[in-house]
């Protein structure tokens, strides 16, 4: 942590560590997940608007009602990956998922 005069300067990561929890803690993992879900919802809304579609029209394209599109854009967590993929296909947009393997040992019971 740097100091400048009497004001303490911290990086964003240092602030997150202090106020949310260190990387790997359940609090930090929950925060990072929420952030990713929020970004996904914002991306869907942005592309939908760019394509000049209403929530109702997008819902019709993928076979769900307007309220599900609204929930998805507002970052409701209980949506399936299948629905997310349908949304991006209907928006004629590619999406890439990244899976990160953590270095943990798994045993079979």
């Amino acid at each position: 942590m740097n100091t400048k005069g009497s004001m303490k300067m911290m990086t964003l990561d240092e602030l997150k560590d202090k106020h949310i929890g260190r990387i790997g803690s359940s609090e930090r993992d929950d925060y990072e997940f929420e952030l990713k879900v929020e970004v996904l919802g914002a991306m869907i809304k942005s592309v939908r608007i760019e394509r000049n579609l209403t929530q109702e029209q997008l819902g019709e394209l993928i076979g769900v009602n307007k309220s599900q599109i609204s929930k998805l854009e507002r970052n409701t967590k209980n949506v399936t990956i299948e629905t997310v993929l349908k949304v991006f296909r209907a928006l004629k947009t590619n999406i890439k998922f990244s899976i990160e393997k953590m270095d943990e040992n798994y045993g079979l019971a």
Side-chain angles (χ1 to χ4, degrees), residues 1-2 5 9 17 20-21 26 40 45 49 78 82 96:
M1 177 168 37
N2 299 325
M9 305 272 300
D17 288 348
I20 299 168
S26 62
L40 180 63
K45 183 176 183 177
I49 291 169
N78 57 352
E82 180 182 2
K96 295 180 182 180

Side-chain angles (χ1 to χ4, degrees), residues 13-95:
D13 285 334
E14 289 171 332
L15 286 170
K16 287 181 192 178
D17 288 348
K18 181 178 178 180
H19 296 285
I20 299 168
R22 294 204 169 276
I23 293 174
S25 69
S26 62
E27 294 85 5
R28 183 71 171 265
D29 288 346
D30 290 346
Y31 167 80
E32 298 292 342
F33 176 78
E34 291 288 331
L35 185 60
K36 289 174 185 173
V37 169
E38 186 173 318
V39 169
L40 180 63
M43 289 172 58
I44 290 170
K45 183 176 183 177
S46 174
V47 174
R48 176 184 59 77
I49 291 169
E50 185 179 297
R51 300 281 195 249
N52 296 312
L53 292 171
T54 65
Q55 290 177 338
E56 187 171 357
Q57 289 169 326
L58 179 56
E60 288 173 8
L61 285 173
I62 66 168
V64 301
N65 55 28
K66 175 187 180 255
S67 66
Q68 189 163 357
I69 301 300
S70 177
K71 288 177 185 176
L72 182 58
E73 290 180 355
R74 286 191 332 258
N75 314 314
T76 301
K77 290 184 265 182
N78 57 352
V79 67
T80 65
I81 290 176
E82 180 182 2
T83 299
V84 171
L85 292 174
K86 284 180 183 179
V87 167
F88 281 106
R89 276 194 294 269
L91 293 171
K92 298 183 181 354
T93 306
N94 289 326
I95 184 170

